[in-house]
Amino acid sequence: MAPEISCNHPLPARVCLSMLSPLPASKWNYTTAAHLLNRAGFGGSPADIEKLTAMTPTEAVAYFVDYEKIPDTAPPPPDWAKPDPDRTEQYQKIQRMFKEDKDSAKTEAEKTAEAEKRRQMVQQIQRDQYKDLQEMRFDWLQRMATGPRPLQEKLTLFWHGHFATSAVKVKNPYFMWRQIDTFRQKGTGNWLDLLEAAATDPAMLIWLDQAQSRQAHPNENFARESMELFALGEGHYTEKDVTEAARAMTGWSLDRPSESYIYRPRIHDNGVKTVLGKTGNLDGHDVLEIIVAQPQAARFITGKLWKFFASDNPPDAELAEALADNFRSGGNNFAPFLRTLFSCEEFYAKEVMNNQIKSPVQWLISSVRLLQRDLPPSIVSTQMIKSLGQDLLLPPNVKGWDGGLSWITTNTLLARYNQAAILVMGEGNLGATGERRAGKVAERANEMARQLRPADVEKIISNEDRHDANTIIAKLEKRFIQGQLTEPHRQVLREYLEPRTDLNDQDIRHAIRLLMSTPEYQVT
């Protein structure tokens, strides 16, 4: 039965009702199940796909969307991932030292000694921050690769890119951990609840300077981005709306000692404001409520979810309205919307399947899952995705990663080929050939990458199946691309395999590396 859709837009009701129909059971097969696993999660082995194929489409979608029914087996948060008064006091002590040194009548020698002491304290803090952020990145990659809730982590990755916040400015690893955990816990909930949680999140308060906003000097950064980047898009608000919204959001601040959000009524602007046509003594919550109530808000966020999960190409006007209407009819809640998205025929259309460029994270996680091997060590894994163009917790700007074709450049494509050799054969270089990689971290990562064990290819092609090139190619296609290579690329594999008799593990690894270097493997 098609999901109920309220057609409160200019398109004819018959057009709206003809869209988002569930995929018929007759079209549920290995290929469509693989597509769901790739997009709602990070891919998997043929055995993983077969498990989904054995379910009904409704059951398979429920497995992803209803992840809260599955026990979370992730390890507990690290010790540093909690409010720490000592950490705050350490930061404040350094600030006091700067001020005291500036204002004091100390000798030049004493000032030099104090400056050296401050430098050492700052360096130690920076080392601790780097270590904690590195631990957090790898723990997150491990959740993606081995966790029982693939959609939860995939959706957390989406929200990280949507509310793009960088540790470069935030610095405090606890704040970054808390923000990612907020996305993890609220990712399928209500849009207004999530938007307000993101707005009052300590990392966001620092990232967009909301913690510094006060009645006398309202800061417009978050007010602007909440409309332009987070909820409405360009052209759907005015500069006056931004100015008035910034006034309404004054008072949202950060309590440093407790490392948490605090509302400070004394710095809130209690005057009358008008935002998007609504007038009153508005506060921040009122503004977000007004924003989410705009018809454009549903179109904007469902369009971004469509791009992330379905297609790099935006939905056409009819599909965009159908998606937005479905989201509104579900109370602006993401779980029912995602259930419809992953169930509808449009999600499994020919132009959608095998036509989305893998992000660096998707490329790495799906690769280790397909190869049925562990993630490389922490420093190697994080340097891999960094060299491919996606450094978790360090998005390039407030817009996040562009995605799509931007993932593919001459350097990053060559880096994918090199990293395929590392994962499959235990040899190669993390970056593109000729790339200058400065720093001890990159050098150490390359050194460790060269020490990786090759993939265990007996899990992929058994000895009994190694006597016929076409059989090997078909099995590799089924596992790695769930489709067929173009004939020229199949021929390359044939020309490599056919002259060889008694194929050994290394021969199979070379064949896998060749397949992972094809254009077909770069998309999902």
Side-chain angles (χ1 to χ4, degrees), residues 198-427:
T200 57
D201 171 77
M204 183 65 76
L205 290 168
I206 295 172
W207 174 237
L208 291 181
D209 305 306
Q210 185 61 39
Q212 301 173 16
S213 187
R214 58 198 65 242
Q215 180 180 2
H217 301 287
N219 188 291
E220 296 182 359
N221 287 354
F222 182 79
R224 180 179 304 280
E225 305 311 351
S226 65
M227 299 184 201
E228 180 177 331
L229 297 179
F230 301 157
L232 294 177
E234 293 182 5
H236 296 281
Y237 61 92
T238 67
E239 286 301 309
K240 183 66 172 176
D241 290 324
V242 172
T243 301
E244 296 285 88
R247 290 177 56 213
M249 291 173 177
T250 53
W252 283 359
S253 191
L254 177 65
D255 182 56
R256 293 285 181 175
S258 66
E259 296 187 314
S260 63
Y261 162 78
I262 187 172
Y263 176 66
R264 302 186 191 276
R266 289 186 298 175
I267 62 174
H268 173 66
D269 186 332
N270 283 301
V272 174
K273 307 108 182 164
T274 300
V275 177
L276 297 169
K278 300 291 184 180
T279 301
N281 181 12
L282 306 176
D283 60 17
H285 174 81
D286 296 327
V287 169
L288 297 183
E289 198 169 45
I290 291 168
I291 290 173
V292 170
Q294 302 298 303
Q296 171 61 17
R299 297 187 199 104
F300 182 80
I301 196 60
T302 56
K304 289 202 69 173
L305 286 163
W306 170 266
K307 180 181 179 182
F308 184 81
F309 285 107
S311 175
D312 291 330
N313 298 317
D316 61 32
E318 295 176 357
L319 179 56
E321 288 295 348
L323 293 168
D325 277 344
N326 179 272
F327 183 57
R328 294 188 202 102
S329 68
N332 286 348
N333 292 305
F334 291 106
F337 170 78
L338 291 170
R339 195 182 309 278
T340 297
L341 176 65
F342 296 140
S343 300
C344 70
E345 289 191 274
E346 289 83 357
F347 181 73
Y348 299 92
K350 181 179 179 181
E351 59 271 21
V352 170
M353 295 177 64
N354 298 314
N355 202 28
Q356 185 184 63
I357 297 172
K358 295 174 182 174
S359 70
V361 169
Q362 182 82 17
W363 187 92
L364 175 61
I365 301 301
S366 63
S367 294
V368 298
R369 288 178 60 81
L370 290 166
L371 291 166
Q372 293 180 252
R373 67 167 301 152
D374 293 338
L375 273 172
S378 172
I379 189 174
V380 178
S381 291
T382 54
Q383 286 293 314
M384 277 183 158
I385 58 173
K386 180 180 180 179
S387 68
L388 296 182
Q390 191 173 26
D391 201 356
L392 290 178
L393 311 183
L394 294 171
N397 51 54
V398 72
K399 292 173 63 178
W401 295 278
D402 290 333
L405 286 171
S406 71
W407 294 131
I408 301 296
T409 67
T410 301
N411 280 343
T412 59
L413 192 58
L414 189 53
R416 290 187 183 212
Y417 301 162
N418 290 336
Q419 291 183 20
I422 291 172
L423 294 175
V424 178
M425 309 183 73
E427 59 187 47

Side-chain angles (χ1 to χ4, degrees), residues 492-507:
V492 169
L493 282 175
R494 283 196 204 96
E495 291 174 357
Y496 173 77
L497 291 167
E498 286 179 345
R500 290 167 170 76
T501 58
D502 298 325
L503 291 166
N504 59 31
D505 286 355
Q506 195 69 349
D507 294 328

